[in-house]
């Protein structure tokens, strides 16, 4: 069994809905995929299938892929087909150019080889197809395998290098306030620290509600950042283009 399949095998066990609730998926469905119907949609890192179920109810043909066996079981319980694969290393069990839309929401930061996953998503997505990827916001303090890749500026350049034309970048939600301090306080073995962590949690929630009501979601404070892109097929792989662009010039040649 591959490491990812082992690590995430029981990740969604006992979950009927999305982690943290369905609010984020409803926003994606209503704001980024408004009016989408009759399309072939792939969700890479689909989890327990809540978003795909929403899209299927709108008349789309949907399919998921995830490293989690428990995720596959939850998808099938919702009437959504899902393949189990290590998307960081395995070829997707899907034909070239078979999808109109590919989604990859807060998944790439979990992968040992995000470039492999992106290459596979481009392979199965049609020319001109819609690609939506999201990454955790910069203030969420999410753990990363490759921290430098997932800054907003660097991730934008990563998508551009892979041939995606970015149409828009939108934030969703507010990143938790005081998260580093809260995590430290919660680890302390005394009631004062734990109570202080609860107070900070309450203040943070109020702050988020005020920001959302009066100023929307500033991108740098978003819980997740969503990149809406168009796929542009390339004749050569990114690795081939990098090799050509860095080919050494020999004296006398």
């Amino acid at each position: 069994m591959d490491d990812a399949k082992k690590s995430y095998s029981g990740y969604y066990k006992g979950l009927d809905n999305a982690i943290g609730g369905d609010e984020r998926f409803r926003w994606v469905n209503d704001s980024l995929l408004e009016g989408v119907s009759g399309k072939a949609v792939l969700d890479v890192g689909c989890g327990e299938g809540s978003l795909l179920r929403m899209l299927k109810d709108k008349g789309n043909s949907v399919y998921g892929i995830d490293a989690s066996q428990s995720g596959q079981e939850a998808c099938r319980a919702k009437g959504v087909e899902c393949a189990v694969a290590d998307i960081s290393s395995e070829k997707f069990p899907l034909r070239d150019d078979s999808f109109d839309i590919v989604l990859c929401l807060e998944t790439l930061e979990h992968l040992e080889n995000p470039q492999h996953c992106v290459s596979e998503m481009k392979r199965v997505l049609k020319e001109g197809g819609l690609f939506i990827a999201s990454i955790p916001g910069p203030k969420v303090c999410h753990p990363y395998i490759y921290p430098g890749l997932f800054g907003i500026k660097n991730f934008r350049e990563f998508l551009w290098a892979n041939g995606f034309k970015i149409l828009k970048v939108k934030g969703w939600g507010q990143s938790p306030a005081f998260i580093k301090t809260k995590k430290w306080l919660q680890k302390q073995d005394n009631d004062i620290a734990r109570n202080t962590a609860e107070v900070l949690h309450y203040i943070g929630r109020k702050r988020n509600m005020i920001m959302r009501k009066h100023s929307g979601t500033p991108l740098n404070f978003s819980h997740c950042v969503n990149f809406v892109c168009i796929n542009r097929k390339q004749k050569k792989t990114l690795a081939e283009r990098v090799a050509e662009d860095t080919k050494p010039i020999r004296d006398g040649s």
Side-chain angles (χ1 to χ4, degrees), residues 247-253:
K247 188 174 181 179
I249 299 175
R250 296 176 176 83
D251 293 339
S253 60

Side-chain angles (χ1 to χ4, degrees), residues 8-21:
Y8 290 95
S9 177
Y11 201 69
Y12 299 97
K13 194 173 183 63
L15 281 177
D16 294 326
N17 299 306
I19 295 173

Side-chain angles (χ1 to χ4, degrees), residues 64-83:
I65 184 169
D66 200 282
S68 174
Q69 180 68 43
S70 58
Q72 182 190 57
E73 293 167 359
C75 283
R76 288 179 172 174
K78 293 181 175 70
V80 172
E81 189 56 39
C82 171

Side-chain angles (χ1 to χ4, degrees), residues 76-120:
R76 288 179 172 174
K78 293 181 175 70
V80 172
E81 189 56 39
C82 171
V84 174
D86 183 345
I87 57 177
S88 187
S89 62
E90 296 179 355
K91 184 175 181 178
F92 294 2
L94 303 165
R95 298 190 309 275
D96 294 359
D97 306 313
S98 51
F99 290 93
D100 303 299
I101 301 170
V102 171
L103 312 170
C104 189
L105 306 181
E106 294 177 73
T107 295
L108 289 168
E109 69 273 8
H110 291 263
L111 307 183
E112 289 187 350
N113 189 351
Q115 179 60 53
H116 171 83
C117 183
V118 168
S119 297
E120 280 295 284

